[in-house]
Amino acid sequence: MVHKKDDEQLMAQRLIEFEKLIKAQPQLPHNISTTLLRRFLHTTRGNLASAQRLLELNYSLRNKHAQIFIDRDPMDASSQQLLQVADLVPLPGLTPENNKLLFYRLIDYDADKFNFTASIKVFFMVADCRFATETEGRLSDGEIPIFDMAGYSLRHLTKTALSALRVYMKFVQEAHPVRLKEIHVLNCPTYLDKVLTVVKPFIKSEVFKLIHFHLPNADTPYKHFPRAMMPEEYGGEAGKMSDLKQHWMQLLQQQREYLMDAGNWQLNKCKKSSSNASNSMTQSLKTLEID
């Protein structure tokens, strides 16, 4: 029987090996933090080869779509406008199954104020901010995104930028260092079929099976996670959404330099690499084509 302490020691040893492995690849940024590397290794349950492939694909996609992942500023006008229109908030605590809840909703229903590409950029800035500041004790076993569709109209749907949607779907399904456990969609509208017509072609079948759709004001979500973990506005005990959001807006501001520093994200394309590192990165790049 393997004890938790033995698991922790093994993971610590593999993290040291992973750091050496990544530093040996000149294409990758040399300042990837131990905290971030631990997340990739944790996501692949300590499998070094899988963690390396995931990290390489993550950074390759970032560089292929720099307009979303590198050319960004959490304090610029489009990001701040989006944050006035929508909440993108990781909720505190973990479920009894050790999963993290992530909550997304509109707070201003005016579709003219909604910028889909900005929402994608802010989504990943919040994620990168979270991954940079989490501590070892807070790593969840998996992630459960919750999307509240209240106020989402067909006019919002027409604002969907398909190019940004493709990038978002490919990244979160193939390159994001998380284990997706479930996806919950609250307050589904009568025109949900029209929404699915747009987004379903980009969702892998195994991921679509994780989605649970809930009728307006239904209690069915709480069969999957405790209501107590939700914000007060949803009958929970996590605090007011405005307070939870303020915490993350402050964190985004604190991490602004980290998020905006291209040196943290850009591949070093001009450097010669060893044959092994070069072949590994080439394999990652071959997977990037998005039809």
Side-chain angles (χ1 to χ4, degrees):
M1 181 178 180
V2 179
H3 295 286
K4 182 179 180 181
K5 187 175 181 179
D6 294 331
D7 284 339
E8 292 173 351
Q9 290 177 343
L10 179 60
M11 186 63 77
Q13 181 181 347
R14 288 186 177 174
L15 180 57
I16 294 173
E17 295 174 17
F18 190 39
E19 287 183 295
K20 292 178 180 178
L21 188 65
I22 296 305
K23 287 180 179 178
Q25 297 195 52
Q27 302 97 326
L28 292 169
H30 294 157
N31 55 349
I32 303 176
S33 70
T34 301
T35 299
L36 186 54
L37 290 178
R38 186 182 67 235
R39 166 158 280 278
F40 279 90
L41 197 59
H42 174 78
T43 299
T44 61
R45 301 190 187 279
N47 186 305
L48 286 169
S50 296
Q52 181 182 347
R53 286 193 296 269
L54 182 62
L55 185 140
E56 288 178 351
L57 181 57
N58 182 291
Y59 278 80
S60 297
L61 275 174
R62 286 179 187 274
N63 282 256
K64 186 177 178 68
H65 304 286
Q67 75 280 8
I68 290 177
F69 295 102
I70 298 178
D71 302 329
R72 59 187 185 174
D73 179 357
M75 304 307 293
D76 68 14
S78 61
S79 297
Q80 289 298 303
Q81 164 81 359
L82 188 280
L83 288 166
Q84 295 300 316
V85 170
D87 290 334
L88 300 88
V89 179
L91 297 179
L94 298 173
T95 69
E97 296 77 25
N98 200 40
N99 294 320
K100 187 73 174 174
L101 301 183
L102 311 161
F103 198 87
Y104 309 100
R105 70 169 184 174
L106 290 172
I107 50 176
D108 186 328
Y109 298 165
D110 185 349
D112 290 332
K113 297 179 182 178
F114 181 71
N115 182 320
F116 182 82
T117 302
S119 72
I120 299 303
K121 294 181 74 168
V122 172
F123 175 95
F124 288 120
M125 281 192 280
V126 171
D128 287 337
C129 183
R130 179 163 66 98
F131 298 160
T133 58
E134 63 192 354
T135 60
E136 187 170 0
R138 293 178 185 170
L139 287 179
S140 63
D141 185 62
E143 311 251 316
I144 300 178
I146 303 168
F147 298 92
D148 185 352
M149 292 192 70
Y152 186 88
S153 66
L154 290 176
R155 289 196 61 223
H156 286 92
L157 184 62
T158 65
K159 307 271 284 185
T160 302
L162 292 181
S163 59
L165 179 63
R166 286 191 189 97
V167 174
Y168 171 80
M169 288 297 187
K170 184 172 182 67
F171 194 94
V172 297
Q173 293 177 99
E174 298 181 23
H176 209 34
V178 303
R179 303 183 202 131
L180 198 58
K181 295 293 186 176
E182 297 175 351
I183 302 169
H184 292 274
V185 184
L186 313 185
N187 295 308
C188 291
T190 55
Y191 44 84
L192 177 65
D193 58 329
K194 293 181 173 60
V195 178
L196 292 178
T197 298
V198 174
V199 301
K200 192 175 180 180
F202 304 105
I203 304 176
K204 293 184 176 183
S205 59
E206 62 266 30
V207 174
F208 192 79
K209 292 176 182 177
L210 301 176
I211 304 178
H212 300 265
F213 298 99
H214 305 278
L215 294 171
N217 303 312
D219 289 330
T220 49
Y222 309 116
K223 295 179 181 179
H224 301 270
F225 53 83
R227 183 194 290 266
M229 293 189 65
M230 294 287 278
E232 288 181 6
E233 293 88 336
Y234 294 79
E237 301 172 6
K240 294 181 179 179
M241 179 62 87
S242 58
D243 294 335
L244 298 172
K245 182 177 184 177
Q246 184 61 30
H247 166 76
W248 283 97
M249 291 186 71
Q250 289 175 351
L251 215 52
L252 282 172
Q253 187 170 2
Q254 292 169 7
Q255 295 294 319
R256 183 187 187 194
E257 183 176 345
Y258 167 74
L259 294 170
M260 293 180 64
D261 185 352
N264 292 327
W265 314 106
Q266 284 181 336
L267 296 175
N268 301 308
K269 298 178 182 179
C270 62
K271 293 188 177 181
K272 297 288 184 181
S273 62
S274 67
S275 59
N276 287 341
S278 178
N279 290 339
S280 182
M281 184 62 72
T282 299
Q283 287 301 113
S284 289
L285 290 169
K286 284 181 179 177
T287 68
L288 298 181
E289 296 307 316
I290 302 177
D291 298 328

